[in-house]
Amino acid sequence: MTAVFEPWNETRGGEIIAEHANQEGATLVILHALQEAFGHVPQAAIPMVAQALNLSRAEVHGVFTFYHDFRHEPAGRHVLKLCRAEACQAAGGDALAARAEAKLGVSLGNTTPDDRVTLESIYCLGLCATAPSAMLDGRLIGRLDQRRLDALVAEAQR
Ligand code: FES
């Protein structure tokens, strides 16, 4: 992933929030806009969004957690998402996820200490088959097995 993000800045965050506050579905629109600008939605932005939209922090946090694409911390250089939805789990996804966690030394939802790889869950990539699916920096990969997963992890670590 080569996207360059602005560092979090409260004034800039406030501008983004104000810009979208009157739109339909403003919570989701704002969270997306913040993540697009900063690469993540800092914890500090949640009360700002709540205040601007006259919602509780819990309501904004609820939207944040419902969508698995939002993150509170900046992502690593590469983002490896493993499908954790039912069909992929039934096809051996749990074992592959555990393997990826062991290889990278981080659990799902975290970034390696060298900031190279963020390992995340995703819920169905529309590639449901007899083997689990994944996505590396937006590229879909189907029919994963141990060998292909290892290659993917190695690619992400480069
Ligand atoms: S359940 Fe994993 S791609 Fe559909």
Side-chain angles (χ1 to χ4, degrees):
M1 194 166 6
T2 51
V4 177
F5 300 109
E6 306 169 41
W8 165 244
N9 168 301
E10 203 175 306
T11 308
R12 176 83 181 105
E15 284 170 10
I16 291 171
I17 293 168
E19 201 178 307
H20 300 287
N22 295 322
Q23 269 177 254
E24 188 144 343
T27 313
L28 196 52
V29 174
I30 289 171
L31 292 176
H32 272 298
L34 290 171
Q35 180 142 314
E36 213 163 281
F38 303 112
H40 65 296
V41 181
Q43 196 87 49
I46 300 291
M48 291 171 67
V49 177
Q51 198 184 5
L53 301 182
N54 211 9
L55 297 170
S56 70
R57 288 176 187 205
E59 283 170 300
V60 178
H61 186 71
V63 175
F64 176 90
T65 47
F66 185 78
Y67 295 92
H68 298 275
D69 271 349
F70 294 133
R71 55 175 79 89
H72 273 320
E73 302 294 333
R77 201 148 22 118
H78 299 285
V79 179
L80 177 57
K81 298 182 182 205
L82 301 179
C83 179
R84 308 291 293 134
E86 214 173 306
C88 283
Q89 273 204 40
D94 282 347
L96 288 189
R99 189 174 175 91
E101 287 180 327
K103 287 202 160 275
L104 290 168
V106 289
S107 51
L108 283 159
N110 291 289
T111 300
T112 54
D114 62 5
D115 285 335
R116 268 175 206 247
V117 190
T118 297
L119 185 62
E120 289 182 340
S121 305
I122 197 164
Y123 294 87
C124 198
L125 293 158
L127 288 180
C128 321
T130 50
S133 306
M135 186 187 261
L136 178 60
D137 298 337
R139 188 178 99 230
L140 290 170
I141 301 108
R143 300 181 180 282
L144 276 185
D145 55 16
Q146 285 193 2
R147 193 182 53 81
R148 283 169 58 95
L149 176 83
D150 290 357
L152 210 51
V153 169
E155 185 182 341
Q157 282 173 311
R158 259 180 241 145

